[in-house]
């Protein structure tokens, strides 16, 4: 079993109400695992639990499925929680605070030591008004009004991503920083000399424009902010080309 990056209770529980499709539950587990959520609660899943094909849809996030709990009703699923959010795509006429996912998860992270859950409704019809009434606040997503429909797992993914950012855990797994130090001026000047000599040998420069073109090419190479590895690579390419002409 995989070690849990974030213990249950620190992050919000994801609660799926009467989910029908194994694919959606599996992809929800995958979305949760992507961003460090581990606590999945299922309310009266259609056609029982576990479902055929759910583990395949999870693409390796089986630790979330293995720890999932099944509940007969929403009140049972949220009984131990201190704060509950309900996701919905439409206005329900209920006097509740409405958050976008970023604001909602910032508020969740401010509730240190409290158990929080996020309710997600059925694939086709979402949550009932009564189920929304159990929640302290509503989460909705700023989708295009021309196509507002979100897949269940997509809604969980957006929520989990917003939580990871709000909790300060959204660190990129790698950076694009240079692995080779910047080239020294000596290395660049040597490269300029080799390049210009090779271009002279190839008859590249018009005699009356040689100096202007050479300066322009130096400026171009300067703009590249070349590293030591860059210089070695270009020098190697030049050596191979001149060797082909019998100059190496």
């Amino acid at each position: 079993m995989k070690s849990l990056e974030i213990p249950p209770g620190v992050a919000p529980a994801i609660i799926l109400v009467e989910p029908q499709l194994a694919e959606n539950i599996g992809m929800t587990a995958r979305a949760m695992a992507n961003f460090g959520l581990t606590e999945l609660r299922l309310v009266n899943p259609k056609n029982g639990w576990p479902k055929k094909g759910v583990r395949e849809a999870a693409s390796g996030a089986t630790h979330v499925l293995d720890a999932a709990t099944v509940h007969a009703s929403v009140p049972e699923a949220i009984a131990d929680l201190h704060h509950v959010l309900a996701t919905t795509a439409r206005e329900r006429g209920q006097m509740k605070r409405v958050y976008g996912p970023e604001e909602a998860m910032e508020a969740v992270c401010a509730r240190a030591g409290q158990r929080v859950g996020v309710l997600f409704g059925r694939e086709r019809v979402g949550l009932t008004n009564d189920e929304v009434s159990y929640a302290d606040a509503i989460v909705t997503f700023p989708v295009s009004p021309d196509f507002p429909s979100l897949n269940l797992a997509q809604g969980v993914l957006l929520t989990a991503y917003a939580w990871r950012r709000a909790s300060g855990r959204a660190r990129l797994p790698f950076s694009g920083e240079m692995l080779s130090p910047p080239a020294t001026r000596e290395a660049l000047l040597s490269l300029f000399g080799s390049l210009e000599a090779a271009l002279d040998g190839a008859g590249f420069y018009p005699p009356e424009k040689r100096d202007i073109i050479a300066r322009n090419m130096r400026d171009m190479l300067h703009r590249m902010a070349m590293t030591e590895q860059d210089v070695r690579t270009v020098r190697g390419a030049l050596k191979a080309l001149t060797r082909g002409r019998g100059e190496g």
Side-chain angles (χ1 to χ4, degrees):
M1 179 178 176
K2 296 182 180 179
S3 62
L4 301 183
E5 178 193 3
I6 301 162
V10 174
I14 298 298
I15 306 165
L16 306 186
V17 178
E18 296 187 355
Q20 181 175 358
L21 301 176
E23 292 83 356
N24 284 335
I25 301 173
M27 289 188 292
T28 289
R30 180 180 183 178
M32 291 171 62
N34 284 152
F35 297 104
L37 302 187
T38 59
E39 189 173 0
L40 176 62
R41 303 183 183 190
L42 306 174
V43 176
N44 191 25
K46 293 292 185 181
N47 303 316
W49 179 258
K51 292 178 177 289
K52 183 179 179 181
V54 68
R55 298 177 75 84
E56 290 78 4
S59 296
T62 53
H63 60 292
V64 176
L65 297 176
D66 292 339
T69 55
V70 179
H71 306 266
S73 64
V74 171
E76 178 186 308
I78 65 175
D80 64 326
L81 302 179
H82 302 101
H83 190 74
V84 177
L85 300 169
T87 60
T88 178
R90 62 185 188 276
E91 200 274 327
R92 299 302 187 104
Q94 299 186 26
M95 297 297 293
K96 292 183 184 293
R97 188 181 298 274
V98 177
Y99 293 111
E102 295 86 357
E103 296 172 299
M105 293 302 105
E106 287 170 4
V108 166
C109 291
R111 293 179 173 275
Q114 297 185 27
R115 303 294 304 278
V116 178
V118 186
L119 290 168
F120 290 83
R122 302 152 187 85
E123 287 95 334
R124 289 180 58 83
V125 297
L127 298 167
T128 67
N129 286 336
D130 282 343
E131 289 161 349
V132 172
S133 74
Y134 296 139
D136 298 280
I138 285 172
V139 182
T140 194
F141 303 97
V143 294
S144 168
D146 296 328
F147 196 79
S149 176
L150 279 178
N151 174 272
L152 178 59
Q154 290 174 326
V156 173
L157 183 76
L158 291 173
T159 302
Y161 174 66
W163 175 81
R164 192 165 186 84
R165 286 179 58 87
S167 67
R169 293 175 169 86
R171 294 179 290 275
L172 297 178
F174 57 88
S175 72
E177 63 185 342
M178 292 186 298
L179 300 180
S180 176
T184 64
R185 194 58 34 175
E186 179 183 17
L188 283 173
L189 293 176
S190 177
L191 175 62
F192 295 162
S194 297
L195 177 60
E196 290 161 19
L199 292 174
D200 272 326
F204 172 76
Y205 298 114
E208 69 281 7
K209 295 184 178 180
R210 185 199 184 283
D211 291 344
I212 294 175
I213 294 174
R215 286 194 295 268
N216 288 342
M217 293 189 72
R218 292 173 200 166
D219 289 341
M220 179 181 69
L221 293 171
H222 281 309
R223 289 194 297 271
M224 292 172 61
M226 299 181 77
T227 66
E228 290 181 358
Q229 182 59 54
D230 293 334
V231 170
R232 287 194 294 268
T233 299
V234 176
R235 290 184 67 89
L238 284 173
K239 186 175 181 180
L241 289 171
T242 55
R243 186 188 305 121
R245 300 201 307 265
E247 300 175 19

